[in-house]
Amino acid sequence: MRNFAKAAAFATVIALAAQPANAATVLRSYEYFSLNGRTAADLDRELYRRGPVLQKTGQRHPGMTKMRFESRIKYGSNGKSCRVVDATIVVHAHVYLPRWTQRRTAPADLAMIWDTLSADIKRHEESHISIARTAAGNMERQIKGLPWRSDCATLKNDISTLTAKLMKQHDLAQVQFDKVEALNFEDRFGRLLSYRLIREFGKTP
């Protein structure tokens, strides 16, 4: 199962848009890709063959989340200066996850390993979404907190600069999360498998 375990490398594609939204919330959608196999080697091969492709690298991954931030900014003017009246941001997240076709007929040991791995893949992708939700809320607060400007064009430029800065911070946070997850994968996976064994059979591996 060594290669099968190492296949749990993950990726997130982040994009930014600046159009309508409904506050700092997340709208999720899910897409599943099917794996066919009877052994760990089969599943290892299928993950590398069928996993979603990260366009930047051309590599396939066991799970992936594509996200885009949409924003709506309302401006107010007193004729002499301009301010932000309201700012709402929504994160659109499209999650790609694996689904093993032969799961129900699989041997108990392999099924348990798969269940542990697939649950960890989903947790990982949901964590990326949580990072994005936090970034969206922070973006809302900072945009709303901008002071009055002499005109709305200047304010819009300031918002664009601030948004670019905050998105860069968000992207770095996502990359750092992936690095930490990759370093801790084997230990984490071992713990998760032990917990599942104890929960289902009352014993450790």
Side-chain angles (χ1 to χ4, degrees):
M1 295 303 297
R2 182 176 302 171
N3 291 334
F4 184 38
K6 287 185 177 179
F10 312 90
T12 298
V13 179
I14 310 298
L16 174 66
Q19 289 300 326
N22 294 315
T25 56
V26 174
L27 298 179
R28 292 175 174 82
S29 59
Y30 294 89
E31 183 174 335
Y32 295 88
F33 58 96
S34 297
L35 307 179
N36 293 291
R38 299 287 182 182
T39 67
D42 291 341
L43 292 172
D44 185 45
R45 183 170 55 252
E46 286 282 279
L47 281 170
Y48 282 107
R49 287 180 54 200
R50 299 180 182 274
V53 177
L54 181 62
Q55 292 183 351
K56 287 184 178 180
T57 64
Q59 297 178 346
R60 293 186 178 272
H61 298 265
M64 185 172 71
T65 301
K66 289 185 178 180
M67 290 187 281
R68 60 187 172 85
F69 288 53
E70 291 185 326
S71 62
R72 174 181 290 165
I73 312 298
K74 294 182 180 180
Y75 300 91
S77 175
N78 60 6
K80 296 181 179 180
S81 56
C82 184
R83 69 182 179 92
V84 174
V85 175
D86 193 23
T88 57
I89 296 174
V90 65
V91 178
H92 294 265
H94 189 70
V95 185
Y96 298 82
L97 297 171
R99 178 177 287 162
W100 182 19
T101 304
Q102 291 82 17
R103 164 61 184 81
R104 291 187 178 182
T105 59
D109 57 346
L110 185 58
M112 180 174 295
I113 292 172
W114 170 256
D115 290 347
T116 304
L117 179 60
S118 61
D120 194 52
I121 292 172
K122 184 175 183 180
R123 176 207 57 80
H124 177 96
E125 299 306 329
E126 293 293 337
S127 295
H128 275 302
I129 294 173
S130 294
I131 293 171
R133 183 199 294 274
T134 299
N138 182 46
M139 197 176 299
E140 279 190 356
R141 288 189 296 273
Q142 293 205 39
I143 290 174
K144 291 176 183 178
L146 287 172
W148 289 77
R149 295 291 187 261
S150 58
D151 56 77
C152 288
T154 299
L155 183 56
K156 289 178 181 179
N157 287 334
D158 289 346
I159 290 173
S160 295
T161 300
L162 175 62
T163 299
K165 173 187 173 183
L166 295 177
M167 281 304 302
K168 184 176 181 180
Q169 293 175 0
H170 164 258
D171 292 346
L172 290 173
Q174 297 284 13
V175 170
Q176 181 60 29
F177 174 71
D178 274 332
K179 289 180 179 179
V180 172
E181 289 275 288
L183 288 173
N184 296 333
F185 174 75
E186 292 190 5
D187 289 341
R188 183 179 69 254
F189 187 77
R191 290 195 305 271
L192 292 171
L193 190 57
S194 294
Y195 294 154
R196 191 175 288 266
L197 281 167
I198 293 171
R199 186 181 66 202
E200 297 189 16
F201 300 104
K203 63 180 180 180
T204 57

